[in-house]
Amino acid sequence: MDTDPSSPLIVDLVILGACFALSFFFSAAETALISANTLRLQHMAEGGNRAAKKLLELKADTAGLLATLLLGNNVANILSAAVSTAVAIRLYGEDYGVVIATATTTLIVLIFCEVLPKSLAAASPEKASISLLLPVLVARAILGPAAWLLQVLT
């Protein structure tokens, strides 16, 4: 994260956009995978759907799955708050920057990174789960050790 005043603003905005995209992904994945109907997935798996079979394996470890998804979402949201605050302070000064960053980041995260992705995923959780399976597996591989530690500590 490069938010010093001499760095191009575009770099910070790209980082911020990536954080929002990751938050969207993790929120959608959480709702889709938790809401996906196990009986429907079993029926799909029995019909030869390998993605449905893998989703059933993921759902069998709900605690590990949730730890991974919540960890990823929280890291993305906290990083977005830090970057947006640094950018807003650079643009508006310390007097207004923190307030502007807090207000705008809260609205963006609430609407576009929480409500919208969860609503979309809840509308068709099995379909969304299958679409998000590969990125969830990648996230699980990357965040697995930290998620495991989080589970141990809680």
Side-chain angles (χ1 to χ4, degrees):
M1 179 176 74
D2 186 9
T3 57
D4 76 63
S6 65
S7 74
L9 182 62
I10 191 70
V11 172
D12 294 333
L13 295 177
V14 167
I15 292 170
L16 195 54
C19 288
F20 291 143
L22 285 169
S23 181
F24 183 103
F25 159 72
F26 283 114
S27 291
E30 176 189 353
T31 297
L33 272 72
I34 298 303
S35 300
N37 185 294
T38 303
L39 291 176
R40 283 192 195 123
L41 290 175
Q42 286 173 341
H43 180 70
M44 293 166 71
E46 289 167 2
N49 188 318
R50 290 183 291 166
K53 183 178 179 190
K54 190 65 181 173
L55 287 168
L56 288 168
E57 292 171 16
L58 284 174
K59 284 180 67 76
D61 179 22
T62 304
L65 178 63
L66 274 176
T68 299
L69 298 175
L70 292 174
L71 177 65
N73 203 7
N74 277 284
V75 168
N77 288 340
I78 291 167
L79 184 57
S80 73
V83 173
S84 66
T85 300
V87 168
I89 288 172
R90 184 182 342 166
L91 295 174
Y92 303 107
E94 289 186 19
D95 291 339
Y96 299 107
V98 174
V99 173
I100 291 169
T102 301
T104 57
T105 303
T106 298
L107 286 174
I108 290 169
V109 167
L110 183 62
I111 296 168
F112 298 106
C113 302
E114 291 294 331
V115 175
L116 179 63
K118 288 181 180 195
S119 296
L120 293 172
S124 185
E126 293 79 22
K127 187 175 181 179
S129 293
I130 289 171
S131 297
L132 296 170
L133 177 60
L134 182 59
V136 167
L137 293 173
V138 170
R140 186 147 177 157
I142 293 168
L143 299 173
W148 174 82
L149 182 60
L150 182 63
Q151 282 183 270
V152 170
L153 295 174
T154 58

